[in-house]
Amino acid sequence: MWNRIKNVVKVSFSVRNLIVAAALISIGFGAYYTLDYLWKDKESLTISKLKHYQGVVIENEAEHLSSQLISYVSRGNELARSRIFRVSVEGLTSRNKETSENAAEDFLNFVKVSGFSSGRLYEADGKMSASTSMTENIDNPDVDAAVQKVLSSRTPSFSALHLEGEELVADIYIPVFPAYIGTTAAAPERVLVLSIPLNSMLSAFLGAQRSLEHRSRIHLIQQNGEAGEEVLLTYLDTLKLQTVKASFKGIGDISFGLRTDLNRAEKVYSSALLIPVVNWWVMIETDASQIEAIMTDYKIYSILIAMLGVGTVVFFILTVRFIGSAQRYHSKSDSLEKQLVPLKQELSFLRKVSSALPDPVSIKNSESGEYVFCNAAFAEFVEVKPQDLKGLTDNRVFDSAYAEVLGHGDQMVNMSGAPYSQDLTMSVGSREMIVQVNSLPCRIDSGTEGILTVYRDVTSEQTAAAKSIEVRQQVINALVRAVESVPFLDGHTSLMRTMAIEIAETLLLSDAEVATVEAAAILSQVGKTFVPKEIMQKEGKLTPEEILETQKYIEHTCNILEGIKFDLPITQTISQMQETLDGSGYPNKLRGNEITILARILGVTNTFSALVQKRSYRKAKTAHQAVQILQSMADQKYDGAVIEALGNVIETQSGRAILQANNVDI
């Protein structure tokens, strides 16, 4: 019994099983900590978004309310400072009954026309001298205090919200200065009290919460004495004031946070913004349960994804474990025997192909360097009989210098396991030749690695290519020298080239595109050598015929370059450099995307280089002036992105160095 238990424990706690168990435990802990991190990050992000959303809502609503209140203040001030109003109310204190009645009627008309629901006028002693609602002069300490405050401060002030019948109003107290004094330097002699009708404005404000996200609620609260009051919109769409449990006395803006709601019933995320002039708070509340619901959905979704991922990984580990166990039962000798047959077939096929090739081919042992196989072309190449080559090495067949180079190639193949190519200049008899040596790894048999080497004579090809490059460069150099000798073009090509390269690199173009725009800039002005000198050197405005003649330089340039073979689209770029996005350019009236980005770069740098260089009929522009001129034509004639890149280039250290080297003022 004890031995059976020991065997079970031994099998269960084998090294492989312990590794698998450790891997599964690690995956479990990793999944747990990953989910915990993702949940905390999601909760933080959700609360952060809610904070931003609440801030935007209360800021917009407070700004909207403030703007409407300010409009009422402006109307009240205009009325109180109106000369005709002040003259009219002077008649209220007249002993003439008709005059005082007319003044009272005028007062009523002034108030109604200004958009207020009612109005009262108080004298400096606190007595009411006029009222649109015909209320009696009843002593009210709050009103008396507000009147005296306005007389003292000479600035308008607001009363608390209150109901007048079914209308929710706020009174604005405005100082009224003497009628025949043109400034406010004198003390006010009356106070105008105007009632602002707020039902429509506040109903629209409270109705906005129907469209708020996360079922958020918006509140308008005022501090009236020691109590806080909330404006409520009833189910009958009427407004009322209700006392709240929270007090806002001495409090400014309320920052975003988790707290109990106004009625202290549940947890909410809330924030509030104070409108100081009326002592109102615009508050928004979002139930904390809304965030909890979002997090619950996210946790369920992430757990399902994690379970799927963990299950996939566990299945993969167990599958690998099973496959590994199964493979250990296969015989190694059977595997080697199966590999040997295709290797022999591969080597036989390789030898047949190599024997048929006209180029010299050899196969050598990668470790010893001895030749295993050489075709007839290789034997003829090294002038050794085919039967004598087997077992020899490079050192015994080639000169020591050649053998050293070939040995370097073998080392590169052995280290990288990839093909390696190199050119070798060799003397064969009285002739010197360039041989391209291509080496690649191969397998000779199941336990021996080899190197297959092909030797190819590329002397004639490389000689022709070098001669072609030399001739092409000579032609280009001659053309550039001819351009630089033309008046007004001295330095133009150089500035175009350097600025075009900087712009292309700023736009992250490829190396081939940068090389194309550089070569095109160098050769772009070649055709101007065919434009008559009297036109090129003319001072003053060119005639339409002369302008057409100068525009032919693009055609001349392309004709000159037509016989030169480029590997890059240089001629195409030059042919399009004077085309514009609106189709007004030349020679082919191309427009928009028909013009390549390289030609757009050349067009901008050509115009820039011309603007910053002096002409007989104008002074040279500064670099910034030239960019401003180009910007005025951005996306109409020239590419706006290229112009922006040019503007960035001239602000860099390298760009300023280029401008300085070409004597261009920044």
Side-chain angles (χ1 to χ4, degrees):
M1 182 68 179
W2 174 248
N3 290 332
R4 185 178 297 177
I5 294 174
K6 284 177 62 178
N7 290 333
V8 171
V9 171
K10 184 177 180 180
V11 172
S12 301
F13 291 91
S14 65
V15 174
R16 291 188 180 89
N17 288 341
L18 289 175
I19 292 174
V20 172
L24 295 177
I25 292 172
S26 298
I27 292 171
F29 276 105
Y32 171 79
Y33 285 112
T34 300
L35 287 175
D36 184 65
Y37 171 81
L38 291 175
W39 293 343
K40 290 179 180 177
D41 184 69
K42 175 66 175 179
E43 184 176 23
S44 175
L45 180 62
T46 304
I47 293 174
S48 177
K49 287 183 177 180
L50 179 62
K51 177 182 178 181
H52 175 73
Y53 174 74
Q54 286 194 358
V56 170
V57 170
I58 60 176
E59 184 175 345
N60 289 342
E61 295 298 333
E63 183 178 355
H64 183 63
L65 288 177
S66 298
S67 65
Q68 294 187 71
L69 291 172
I70 289 172
S71 70
Y72 278 109
V73 173
S74 299
R75 278 185 266 169
N77 275 330
E78 289 176 3
L79 176 61
R81 294 178 182 178
S82 168
R83 182 70 175 271
I84 188 172
F85 171 81
R86 289 184 290 169
V87 170
S88 176
V89 297
E90 289 287 342
L92 293 170
T93 57
S94 174
R95 295 180 179 179
N96 185 300
K97 183 178 180 181
E98 182 180 356
T99 301
S100 63
E101 288 177 351
N102 289 337
E105 184 178 353
D106 289 341
F107 177 77
L108 173 63
N109 292 332
F110 278 126
V111 171
K112 294 300 181 182
V113 169
S114 298
F116 297 92
S117 60
S118 64
R120 304 184 299 279
L121 190 65
Y122 290 88
E123 300 297 327
D125 58 2
K127 292 183 179 180
M128 184 172 65
S129 58
S131 173
T132 61
S133 58
M134 305 303 291
T135 56
E136 297 179 1
N137 188 13
I138 301 173
D139 291 335
N140 187 326
D142 292 335
V143 173
D144 293 340
V147 168
Q148 295 306 316
K149 178 182 176 182
V150 172
L151 290 172
S152 174
S153 65
R154 303 185 182 186
T155 57
S157 69
F158 283 86
S159 73
L161 287 167
H162 58 278
L163 286 167
E164 282 187 2
E166 294 184 356
E167 183 75 26
L168 193 63
V169 300
D171 295 333
I172 179 172
Y173 292 73
I174 301 173
V176 180
F177 296 90
Y180 299 99
I181 297 178
T183 67
T184 59
E189 59 181 9
R190 295 181 178 85
V191 173
L192 176 62
V193 181
L194 299 170
S195 296
I196 304 173
L198 296 174
N199 273 13
S200 176
M201 178 171 60
L202 296 185
S203 294
F205 166 81
L206 294 173
Q209 71 179 3
R210 297 169 185 168
S211 60
L212 295 179
E213 295 180 4
H214 309 300
R215 298 182 182 178
S216 300
R217 302 179 296 277
I218 197 164
H219 305 276
L220 182 65
I221 301 136
Q222 71 169 357
Q223 187 68 25
N224 190 3
E226 296 296 325
E229 295 178 331
E230 179 183 5
V231 179
L232 294 179
L233 183 64
T234 68
Y235 69 95
L236 296 176
D237 289 335
T238 59
L239 295 175
K240 70 174 184 177
L241 291 171
Q242 178 175 296
T243 303
V244 296
K245 295 180 180 179
S247 175
F248 289 75
K249 189 173 184 179
I251 297 176
D253 295 339
I254 300 175
S255 59
F256 175 87
L258 180 65
R259 54 179 66 89
T260 54
D261 64 358
L262 284 175
N263 297 315
R264 303 190 181 279
E266 57 185 4
K267 288 290 185 180
V268 295
Y269 289 94
S270 62
S271 55
L273 200 63
L274 173 65
I275 305 177
V277 66
V278 287
N279 214 26
W280 295 354
W281 283 265
V282 177
M283 172 175 275
I284 184 171
E285 292 181 338
T286 305
D287 291 340
S289 60
Q290 292 294 315
I291 304 300
E292 293 171 359
I294 293 173
M295 288 306 303
T296 299
D297 292 340
Y298 180 79
K299 287 179 179 180
I300 293 173
Y301 176 79
S302 58
I303 288 173
L304 291 175
I305 296 297
M307 290 175 63
L308 181 61
V310 170
T312 302
V313 174
V314 170
F315 176 79
F316 175 79
I317 292 174
L318 295 178
T319 302
V320 171
R321 174 78 174 87
F322 173 80
I323 293 173
S325 298
Q327 286 180 341
R328 286 195 297 272
Y329 295 97
H330 290 285
S331 172
K332 189 174 181 181
S333 60
D334 291 343
S335 176
L336 291 174
E337 185 177 349
K338 290 179 181 178
Q339 293 178 12
L340 187 59
V341 174
L343 284 173
K344 288 180 178 180
Q345 293 175 348
E346 181 181 346
L347 182 60
S348 175
F349 175 75
L350 189 60
R351 285 177 175 174
K352 290 179 181 179
V353 172
S354 300
S355 299
L357 288 175
D359 293 324
V361 176
S362 69
I363 300 176
K364 68 183 77 171
N365 187 304
S366 61
E367 185 176 348
S368 64
E370 295 178 351
Y371 293 123
V372 176
F373 168 79
C374 301
N375 68 354
F378 181 80
E380 183 181 352
F381 175 64
V382 298
E383 299 178 350
V384 178
K385 293 180 180 181
Q387 62 270 23
D388 296 337
L389 284 170
K390 193 170 184 179
L392 298 181
T393 62
D394 289 338
N395 288 322
R396 297 183 63 185
V397 174
F398 295 100
D399 290 342
S400 59
Y402 303 150
E404 183 179 353
V405 175
L406 293 172
H408 171 73
D410 293 345
Q411 290 178 1
M412 296 299 294
V413 172
N414 288 331
M415 287 189 296
S416 65
Y420 182 77
S421 180
Q422 58 183 334
D423 291 341
L424 180 62
T425 303
M426 305 179 67
S427 295
V428 179
S430 60
R431 186 169 70 94
E432 189 174 84
M433 59 190 299
I434 301 173
V435 179
Q436 186 182 73
V437 183
N438 298 294
S439 303
L440 63 156
C442 66
R443 181 170 292 183
I444 298 173
D445 53 43
S446 60
T448 309
E449 300 292 334
I451 298 175
L452 172 67
T453 306
V454 180
Y455 303 81
R456 182 167 172 265
D457 184 2
V458 294
T459 307
S460 58
E461 297 175 12
Q462 293 207 5
T463 302
K467 189 157 189 152
S468 175
I469 292 172
E470 181 181 355
V471 170
R472 187 188 311 167
Q473 191 60 46
Q474 289 175 355
V475 171
I476 291 173
N477 291 340
L479 292 172
V480 172
R481 285 195 298 272
V483 171
E484 293 294 337
S485 66
V486 176
F488 305 117
L489 295 180
D490 184 21
H492 183 92
T493 300
S494 174
L495 182 57
M496 269 188 68
R497 170 183 167 274
T498 51
M499 295 305 290
I501 292 172
E502 292 291 326
I503 292 173
E505 291 177 347
T506 300
L507 294 174
L508 302 179
L509 300 188
S510 66
D511 292 344
E513 290 172 318
V514 174
T516 300
V517 83
E518 177 184 10
I522 293 173
L523 298 171
S524 62
Q525 307 298 312
V526 168
K528 288 188 177 178
T529 58
F530 289 85
V531 179
K533 290 185 178 179
E534 58 271 15
I535 296 178
M536 295 296 295
Q537 297 177 358
K538 180 178 179 180
E539 297 183 3
K541 188 175 182 180
L542 298 179
T543 64
E545 294 78 11
E546 291 171 336
I547 292 174
L548 289 174
E549 189 65 34
T550 60
Q551 291 178 353
K552 291 181 180 179
Y553 88 92
I554 292 290
E555 181 180 350
H556 295 320
T557 302
C558 293
N559 290 336
I560 293 169
L561 300 179
E562 185 178 2
I564 303 176
K565 183 179 179 182
F566 297 106
D567 296 329
L568 300 170
I570 295 171
T571 305
Q572 178 195 17
T573 302
I574 294 173
S575 70
Q576 296 181 3
M577 64 177 282
Q578 289 291 0
E579 303 286 359
T580 56
L581 299 179
D582 60 3
S584 63
Y586 61 89
N588 297 316
K589 304 296 182 183
L590 300 182
R591 62 171 60 243
N593 293 331
E594 295 175 338
I595 308 168
T596 67
I597 183 62
L598 304 182
R600 299 183 194 191
I601 293 173
L602 221 58
V604 169
T605 53
N606 181 52
T607 303
F608 175 80
S609 300
L611 288 171
V612 298
Q613 290 179 332
K614 182 181 178 182
R615 295 290 185 263
S616 59
Y617 53 87
R618 64 164 172 81
K619 295 181 179 179
K621 305 290 185 183
T622 66
H624 284 104
Q625 289 173 339
V627 171
Q628 289 175 356
I629 292 172
L630 287 167
Q631 286 173 341
S632 67
M633 296 180 282
D635 296 325
Q636 297 174 8
K637 292 186 177 296
Y638 300 106
D639 192 315
V642 176
I643 297 172
E644 182 180 357
L646 171 62
N648 293 334
V649 166
I650 66 174
E651 298 297 337
T652 63
Q653 185 175 357
S654 59
R656 291 178 179 271
I658 292 170
L659 296 175
Q660 186 176 3
N662 287 273
N663 298 319
V664 176
D665 292 334
I666 297 176

